[in-house]
Amino acid sequence: VFKNAIPLIGNSSRSYLYSMKPVLYYCYDAYCSWCFGFSPVIKKIAGDYKDEMEIEVLSGGMMIGEGVMPIEKIGPYIQTAYKRVEELSGIKFGEDFLWHINNPDKSDWVMNSEKPAIALCILKEYYPERQLEFATDLQYALNYDGRDLDDDEAYRHLLDKYNLQPEAFYSKLNDAEYKEMAYYEFALMKQLQVNGYPTVFIQTGETKFVMVARGYTAYEDLKLRIDNVIKETA
């Protein structure tokens, strides 16, 4: 439990500061392979508790600043790591993604968490209730379709699905205001002492946060922890 955290206010039009419901904060990063493996778990949890809790997704900024790196550098590590994610979670990485991982010297990918975080902030402004869906779509686009999330065009296929007007979306994707929103979320991760993804908190009071998951967590384990928090809060 974090006693001194500031109230978390989403970048969407909703403010949870005065919400009567507990808030579940899903701290993820678009480039986190374990978050991709965890996505079916968190989607099922969100469905289970949609009437009892608000859901807010926060981008972690796992690969920003000095953490930004070309696939050529990190590809060899992912070649081994993704197999462990598949083994534990049952999720499958796509062939198009694996081509980049297995041919890092031929890929021009740069792993940078900034742009997908900005895209999520834009989505929250329009459809805050769909932010988890959008975050998982971003991960599928990367890890299955093999789309380069550092390329503006990687988002175009999602615009119709979310009824986003292309000109407005791309204007905001390169707008300093939305970049600032993304970096605000990165700063919250540091304040909440999040040093790995995925991480899940439940906010039960203005400055009270209970961590219920750090790293990949099975559905049954996460549900039990959430039920215990809700029971204690009640």
Side-chain angles (χ1 to χ4, degrees):
V1 179
F2 295 88
K3 297 292 187 182
N4 299 314
I6 62 169
L8 295 181
I9 302 176
N11 291 322
S12 67
S13 59
R14 298 185 299 177
S15 170
Y16 301 122
L17 179 55
Y18 301 109
S19 174
M20 297 301 292
K21 293 182 180 180
V23 185
L24 183 148
Y25 287 99
Y26 172 41
C27 307
Y28 102 119
D29 190 275
Y31 282 98
C32 168
S33 297
W34 283 109
C35 294
F36 178 55
F38 184 64
S39 56
V41 173
I42 194 66
K43 285 171 72 174
K44 189 173 182 181
I45 287 290
D48 289 347
Y49 295 95
K50 63 181 183 297
D51 297 326
E52 299 171 70
M53 293 191 294
E54 305 284 0
I55 307 293
E56 178 83 2
V57 183
L58 297 171
S59 298
M62 187 173 75
M63 306 186 82
I64 57 172
E66 294 180 358
V68 173
M69 63 181 69
I71 192 66
E72 192 168 5
K73 185 174 180 180
I74 197 173
Y77 166 76
I78 301 176
Q79 287 173 15
T80 301
Y82 89 87
K83 296 174 184 176
R84 176 62 178 151
V85 177
E86 287 189 336
E87 179 185 337
L88 193 61
S89 70
I91 207 157
K92 293 297 179 185
F93 290 78
E95 291 301 318
D96 289 335
F97 170 77
L98 293 177
W99 182 89
H100 290 273
I101 300 310
N102 293 321
N103 300 277
D105 56 321
K106 299 176 184 176
S107 174
D108 61 355
W109 274 12
V110 174
M111 315 292 261
N112 186 342
S113 299
E114 183 179 291
K115 194 162 290 185
I118 296 171
L120 180 59
C121 289
I122 297 168
L123 185 282
K124 287 182 186 183
E125 183 177 67
Y126 290 100
Y127 305 109
E129 72 283 359
R130 299 184 72 184
Q131 56 188 283
L132 178 60
E133 181 186 358
F134 188 76
T136 55
D137 277 348
L138 291 182
Q139 294 214 292
Y140 187 88
L142 170 70
N143 293 292
Y144 196 86
D145 291 341
R147 298 179 190 270
D148 178 5
L149 298 184
D150 200 39
D151 181 351
D152 287 4
E153 289 303 307
Y155 304 88
R156 192 171 295 277
H157 73 293
L158 293 174
L159 301 187
D160 281 346
K161 177 178 179 179
Y162 290 91
N163 196 29
L164 297 171
Q165 202 278 328
E167 186 176 344
F169 175 82
Y170 283 114
S171 174
K172 292 177 178 182
L173 192 63
N174 296 285
D175 188 318
E177 178 184 354
Y178 290 85
K179 180 177 178 178
E180 186 177 329
M181 290 179 183
Y183 276 81
Y184 172 69
E185 294 192 2
F186 301 161
L188 287 176
M189 295 300 94
K190 291 182 179 179
Q191 186 175 10
L192 285 170
Q193 303 168 34
V194 176
N195 53 20
Y197 302 96
T199 295
V200 180
F201 293 98
I202 297 177
Q203 183 181 11
T204 59
E206 185 175 316
T207 59
K208 187 176 181 181
F209 297 83
V210 182
M211 182 186 292
V212 290
R214 173 180 278 164
Y216 179 84
T217 304
Y219 167 79
E220 293 78 9
D221 295 334
L222 182 54
K223 189 175 190 305
L224 179 61
R225 294 171 194 172
I226 291 173
D227 287 344
N228 286 338
V229 171
I230 291 174
K231 189 184 303 180
E232 290 173 9
T233 303

